[in-house]
Amino acid sequence: MGVYSRIAGTGSALPEKVLSNHDLEKLVDTSDEWIATRTGIRQRHVAAEGETTCDLAERAALAAMEAAGVQASGLDMIVLGTTTPDIIFPSTACLLQHRLGANGCAAFDVNAACSGFIYALSVADAFIRAGTARTVLVVGAETLTRMLDWSDRSTCVLFGDGAGAVVLKADTEAGVLSTHLHADGGKKELLYNPVGVSVGFKPGEENAGVRVLMTGNEVFKHAVKALDAVVDETLAANGLDKSAIDWLIPHQANLRIIEATAKRLQMSMDRVIVTVDRHGNTSAGSVPLALDEAVRSGRVQRGQLLLLEAFGGGFTWGSALIRY
């Protein structure tokens, strides 16, 4: 009998502060109508001063652990997807581990930008299937607003902060049916942050130079194409027809990308979990945030088939097919 991983509990966290499109109109030359028409975003949450990625991750993790009935001492591993760690090192997963009191288990970050949670989930699933872990906390958490240029209207309107988490447990019944991961580092210039460590800092850049650079229309085209392909790959790998999917839980970057994927699956939008209107793009936080909302609102039920997918800087993209 094989060993599989199943989602035992979900959790999420959002900062208290909400920034609406109307608020943004006062900061930069844009309008609620322009943002909503092109992206579907109406508002986003912004971390308070001093509120970090780990703070949000901790709240999401505790909610997921409570839902799963798991104590910190029961965790074998923590895998945290983020591109906005609290500090360069230790990893945010290590910081989170200590806060939870799970000291001793393996803990590490995965940086795959907006695909971070899908990548982290895939890693955790592989450890459980291999028999080297039985209970794994998987988190996607971001504070993207920390690296925005608030004078760049093409990017500052898109992103928000938030975190989501799941607890995966070993089971004889299949939960995570398959995961599919891809990347293309050749498209780096289309979506990236130029600041790093080994490239060296320019004067004054240590604190002020972080920003997201994006060629929006090109990213859109690549995202739709890549997600179409990974959806087809996922269905083929499991011998399933698109009609078998109960819920699409996509990365929340742009409503038009979500609608394009739903169309590909011939799914009505009422079978798609959409949070982008309220959360904006929370990068690695978006898929687990949407999943937790879907579970806690009672829409996603045990036994249903969920398709999770994401696309992000790298480029990275991936999917997970899950029997909840």
Side-chain angles (χ1 to χ4, degrees):
M1 204 183 316
V3 176
Y4 302 95
S5 61
R6 283 186 74 88
I7 294 177
T10 65
S12 61
L14 289 160
E16 208 176 304
K17 184 185 175 185
V18 173
L19 191 70
S20 72
N21 290 349
H22 294 298
D23 295 329
L24 278 172
E25 288 174 349
K26 296 164 192 160
L27 295 176
V28 69
D29 182 17
T30 191
S31 71
D32 173 56
E33 188 197 13
W34 190 92
I35 299 167
T37 304
R38 284 162 181 76
T39 68
I41 299 168
R42 295 279 179 186
Q43 63 175 50
R44 71 287 294 145
H45 290 251
V46 176
E49 197 173 333
E51 190 173 27
T52 69
T53 295
C54 192
D55 291 333
L56 296 173
E58 181 184 12
R59 282 167 46 202
L62 288 170
M65 288 163 65
E66 185 183 0
V70 167
Q71 303 292 318
S73 58
L75 296 177
D76 300 315
M77 179 177 286
I78 299 169
V79 191
L80 192 150
T82 189
T83 188
T84 52
D86 281 26
I87 52 177
I88 292 168
F89 68 89
S91 69
T92 304
C94 283
L95 304 179
L96 174 64
Q97 181 212 54
H98 180 58
R99 289 205 199 173
L100 296 174
N103 305 60
C105 73
F108 54 94
D109 288 356
V110 172
N111 179 355
C114 298
S115 308
F117 177 78
I118 301 288
Y119 267 64
L121 184 79
S122 183
V123 169
D125 176 56
F127 270 97
I128 289 175
R129 283 177 185 248
T132 47
R134 290 193 59 81
T135 306
V136 184
L137 173 66
V138 185
V139 186
E142 303 278 17
T143 46
L144 258 292
T145 64
R146 292 278 191 266
M147 66 162 82
L148 294 181
D149 176 353
W150 290 100
S151 66
D152 179 1
R153 66 177 181 176
S154 67
T155 56
C156 76
V157 302
L158 301 175
F159 298 97
D161 303 328
V166 301
V167 172
L168 287 185
K169 276 184 161 181
D171 204 309
T172 52
E173 230 179 298
V176 179
L177 300 175
S178 69
T179 60
H180 307 267
L181 305 179
H182 298 277
D184 181 357
K187 306 292 190 298
K188 168 217 149 186
E189 301 293 326
L190 296 176
L191 178 56
Y192 70 111
N193 184 314
V195 176
V197 178
S198 68
V199 295
F201 294 111
K202 295 182 184 76
E205 199 174 57
E206 294 90 339
N207 297 314
V210 286
R211 62 204 181 281
V212 176
L213 300 176
M214 182 169 87
T215 311
N217 54 344
E218 284 297 310
V219 174
F220 183 92
K221 280 189 286 192
H222 283 289
V224 170
K225 206 169 156 187
L227 292 172
D228 276 357
V230 83
V231 161
D232 289 346
E233 179 190 355
T234 307
L235 292 170
N238 292 278
L240 289 173
D241 184 76
K242 51 179 76 111
S243 61
I245 306 296
D246 291 305
W247 292 100
L248 173 65
I249 305 182
H251 170 47
Q252 309 286 322
N254 183 307
L255 187 58
R256 290 190 298 170
I257 298 176
I258 295 170
E259 287 171 341
T261 309
K263 194 175 175 186
R264 177 77 171 193
L265 284 163
Q266 296 172 332
M267 289 182 86
S268 70
M269 286 300 289
D270 58 11
R271 305 300 287 172
V272 181
I273 304 300
V274 177
T275 58
V276 69
D277 54 324
R278 288 160 290 128
H279 299 168
N281 181 350
T282 55
S283 188
S286 87
V287 171
L289 265 166
L291 172 63
D292 184 52
E293 180 168 302
V295 168
R296 288 176 188 264
S297 67
R299 282 177 288 174
V300 166
Q301 299 285 328
R302 283 286 175 198
Q304 288 184 327
L305 200 57
L306 320 178
L307 177 60
L308 281 51
E309 47 86 346
F311 181 92
F315 284 149
T316 61
W317 63 99
S319 68
L321 188 68
I322 295 173
R323 177 76 63 190
Y324 184 71

